[in-house]
Amino acid sequence: MILHELLSFEILRVIWWALLGVLLIGFALTDGFDLGVGALLPFVARTDLERRQAINTVGPVWEGNQVWFILGGGAIFAAWPPLYAVSFSGFYLAMFTVLAALILRPVGFKYRSKRPSAAWRSGWDWALFVGGAVPALIFGVAVGNVLVGVPFHLSPELLSIYDGPFYAKFFGLLNPFSLLAGLVSLFMLLQHGAAWLALKADGMVETRARQMGPLFGYLAAAGYAAAGLWLAFGIEGFAFAEAPVLDGPSNPLLSEIVKTDSWLVAYAARPWIAIAPLLGFAGILMAARTLNGHSDVAPLLWSKLGIFGVISSVGLTMFPFILPSSVDANSSLTVWDSSSSHLTLFVMLICSVIFVPLILAYTSWVYWVLWGKVTQDEIADNSESVY
């Protein structure tokens, strides 16, 4: 027996669909609070000392947190080549905007304290705000577009072709539902950042984070509920016209796809997936509630649960679709026809089994070493710190 045949092609496809979700959720759980702190920086910290304190809560860990973002992009490239080709070409301008905003973060962290000028530091503080708020918003907009469907079709040679002019690849993404999804993402990560500051900061930074966090949580929950109602009554879903071939070739054009009344028909077919949105609501609302109290750890843990539930609900609701087409349903990409080969997925799985636990172990060790609050007294006594 050939070694990679120990796992069927069908099972490997599902495993890599799940692993892609794990990597994206991992990025949101870790780098999400970095983005949230950046977006909150001008509001929760009003003096130079307070802003240095807030920045120092994420300064030592933000680079490691972005590993999950890189791993997610690499997984899409290697495990789901058609998805990588279609999404990165269609979302090119949006991705460029995200990368430009993300570049502001390392520059802001490193250059902010290089000069004592108040104007200089304020400028970099607003750059860090942009570097946090813009990616948080655009990631949600991208998810909203995936649910609505992306205007592409595949040629007989499987080349992806987008309808409309070049600039539509960005402005066309800003439809009402996707903007709502973007706001849900932004509010959710703002609460996540506030929960992190409640854990890691003290003084007025912690106080303001605890005051602002619940508001963002309630806005996120309200937006999430509105998006669910919109999906139920205003947005068509997608389904296979006939039972798909689960271990067939990666050619989306071999399947016939039809539109349905709603994505939420998935909950009638698989009622157990309702646990995901319930976890999303519970996590967000409990994070808001515990932020009003005195617990340090609970708000962050509840916030992580909420993010897990929200992102999981999208993937489980859409399964097996990963990138539907709004102009040619038959070009839609699914788990069953958009993956790499059987052997490639197996080899990648072996590598992941070896290296992902090492990453988790190292990341856990770093957070254990850096456990504890970043106090204003500590920052004041170390005026020459990098951040």
Side-chain angles (χ1 to χ4, degrees):
M1 174 185 291
I2 300 175
L3 188 61
H4 71 273
E5 292 182 352
L6 291 172
L7 291 174
S8 69
F9 200 10
E10 171 191 353
I11 291 176
L12 281 170
R13 280 171 160 168
V14 174
I15 289 174
W16 271 102
W17 169 81
L19 283 176
L20 178 59
V22 168
L23 294 174
L24 296 178
I25 291 172
F27 170 67
L29 296 183
T30 55
D31 207 43
F33 63 71
D34 296 344
L35 299 176
V37 169
L40 287 170
L41 184 62
F43 310 106
V44 298
R46 297 174 185 173
T47 67
D48 183 66
L49 180 62
E50 290 175 352
R51 291 183 178 181
R52 290 181 59 223
Q53 180 189 18
I55 291 171
N56 272 271
T57 66
V58 298
V61 298
W62 73 270
E63 289 178 294
N65 292 339
Q66 289 206 142
V67 166
W68 299 102
F69 185 53
I70 297 169
L71 287 175
I76 294 175
F77 174 79
W80 307 99
L83 174 62
Y84 181 89
V86 175
S87 61
F88 276 70
S89 60
F91 296 157
Y92 176 80
L93 291 177
M95 291 291 185
F96 183 84
T97 303
V98 167
L99 290 176
L102 290 176
I103 287 171
L104 291 175
R105 290 204 297 167
V107 180
F109 286 142
K110 299 300 182 183
Y111 280 84
R112 181 191 182 277
S113 295
K114 296 298 183 183
R115 294 176 60 185
S117 166
W120 170 271
R121 294 189 175 190
S122 178
W124 285 117
D125 290 340
W126 284 105
L128 291 172
F129 164 79
V130 172
V134 170
L137 178 69
I138 292 182
F139 286 141
V141 168
V143 171
N145 276 277
V146 170
L147 286 164
V148 172
V150 181
F152 75 94
H153 66 276
L154 298 176
S155 71
E157 296 79 21
L158 299 183
L159 299 176
S160 61
I161 301 171
Y162 276 77
D163 293 356
F166 178 73
Y167 60 82
K169 289 186 177 182
F170 181 80
F171 294 104
L173 301 178
L174 305 179
N175 57 77
F177 178 79
S178 297
L179 287 173
L180 174 61
L183 289 175
V184 172
S185 172
L186 176 61
F187 293 143
M188 190 167 60
L189 295 187
L190 284 170
Q191 180 181 245
H192 201 41
W196 175 256
L197 290 174
L199 172 67
K200 294 292 290 182
D202 70 351
M204 289 305 300
V205 173
E206 178 186 2
T207 299
R208 295 189 189 106
R210 289 185 180 276
Q211 291 172 345
M212 295 180 183
L215 172 61
F216 294 126
Y218 297 138
L219 289 173
Y224 185 46
L229 292 173
W230 201 331
L231 279 178
F233 301 107
I235 294 177
E236 294 179 317
F238 293 77
F240 283 95
E242 300 178 351
V245 179
L246 306 185
D247 58 354
S250 291
N251 184 347
L253 297 180
L254 297 179
S255 302
E256 182 180 356
I257 307 297
V258 296
K259 292 190 175 183
T260 62
D261 292 336
S262 168
W263 279 115
L264 300 192
V265 297
Y267 290 86
R270 293 170 281 139
W272 61 271
I273 67 176
I275 188 65
L278 292 177
L279 290 176
F281 280 115
I284 291 172
L285 294 175
M286 285 302 297
R289 180 179 178 182
T290 52
L291 274 168
N292 283 321
H294 300 287
S295 174
D296 289 340
V297 179
L300 187 65
L301 294 180
W302 281 115
S303 180
K304 288 179 180 292
L305 180 65
I307 291 172
F308 172 82
V310 169
I311 298 178
S312 297
S313 69
V314 176
L316 291 171
T317 299
M318 293 183 60
F319 183 85
F321 289 86
I322 49 181
L323 190 65
S325 169
S326 60
V327 295
D328 178 20
N330 290 335
S331 294
S332 300
L333 307 183
T334 75
V335 172
W336 313 125
D337 54 29
S338 305
S339 72
S340 293
S341 68
H342 191 170
L343 177 59
T344 299
L345 295 183
F346 183 80
V347 172
M348 288 176 59
L349 180 61
I350 298 300
C351 294
S352 298
V353 169
I354 296 172
F355 290 106
V356 170
L358 292 176
I359 295 172
L360 289 172
Y362 174 75
T363 301
S364 300
W365 177 78
V366 168
Y367 280 98
W368 178 75
V369 169
L370 296 173
W371 186 259
K373 286 184 177 290
V374 178
T375 66
Q376 292 189 23
D377 290 340
E378 178 185 5
I379 298 300
D381 292 340
N382 188 17
S383 60
E384 300 300 323
S385 68
V386 174
Y387 305 108

